[in-house]
Amino acid sequence: MIDSIEELERIRLACHKKVTRSSSLSAGAAIIPIPGVDIGSDVAILLRLIPQINEKFGLTPEQIEALDTESKIMVMTAISNVGSKMAGKYITRKLIVNLLQKMGFKIAAKGTSKFVPFIGSAVAGGISYTAMKYMGNKHIEDCYQIALEALEQRNFDAAEPIDVTPTPTDPPPRQD
């Protein structure tokens, strides 16, 4: 479980670096002028990347299941509040393909651009890089918000209650 905002920021930065590397791999696969190779590689990259991000933030199904009941409720509530489609879930090929289909216009443009000699491959690589970077960074920000919300709730619950009962040295309330 993440214990501080500083630790959360370090995790966020490390995950952004992973997304950048993965986006570069996706762009490299998109440059290959064989239809379908890029989509297959995007699915494979995301099947590896998303669970790694979930693990870093403590949001794999196994990590959530291992939490005590109160913490589990906090995390599941945070996931619901953020509306994440991939945090706390088993990442399957079907889930990734569905998410890629929602980005269909980018994928269609990427596939079509390959048929334009030379420049088309570069355009496909750029679209692929941008789409992968967007999906990865969006997931990081979702996970960050979930972990931050759970951390803040845990810190709030652990805070000492404030004693508001008057002490004998306190002046009596004014009667106006």
Side-chain angles (χ1 to χ4, degrees), residues 102-119:
K102 289 181 181 177
M103 295 184 71
F105 70 96
K106 290 182 182 179
I107 293 168
K110 182 169 68 168
T112 304
S113 66
K114 283 189 173 193
F115 296 108
V116 178
F118 304 113
I119 295 174

Side-chain angles (χ1 to χ4, degrees), residues 33-93:
I34 301 170
V37 169
D38 53 341
I39 303 300
S41 68
D42 285 353
V43 170
I45 289 167
L46 289 169
L47 278 170
R48 182 181 47 83
L49 178 65
I50 299 302
Q52 288 175 350
I53 293 170
N54 284 345
E55 184 178 0
K56 289 281 188 188
F57 281 99
L59 296 173
T60 66
E62 296 84 7
Q63 290 168 314
I64 293 171
E65 189 58 39
L67 297 172
D68 61 84
T69 303
E70 190 175 320
S71 297
K72 198 181 305 184
I73 290 169
M74 279 189 280
V75 169
M76 296 309 288
T77 301
I79 288 172
S80 177
N81 290 344
V82 169
S84 176
K85 303 276 189 257
M86 297 183 286
K89 295 192 173 76
Y90 289 102
I91 306 303
T92 64
R93 179 174 295 280

Side-chain angles (χ1 to χ4, degrees), residues 107-164:
I107 293 168
K110 182 169 68 168
T112 304
S113 66
K114 283 189 173 193
F115 296 108
V116 178
F118 304 113
I119 295 174
S121 291
V123 170
I127 292 170
S128 191
Y129 179 88
T130 303
M132 184 67 65
K133 188 105 167 141
Y134 172 80
M135 284 184 71
N137 286 342
K138 171 83 172 87
H139 184 58
I140 290 169
E141 293 311 311
D142 286 352
C143 290
Y144 179 87
Q145 289 304 316
I146 292 163
L148 181 62
E149 191 175 314
L151 177 64
E152 288 173 345
Q153 185 63 45
R154 200 169 65 243
N155 289 343
F156 178 77
D157 289 348
E160 290 289 322
I162 299 171
D163 185 10
V164 292

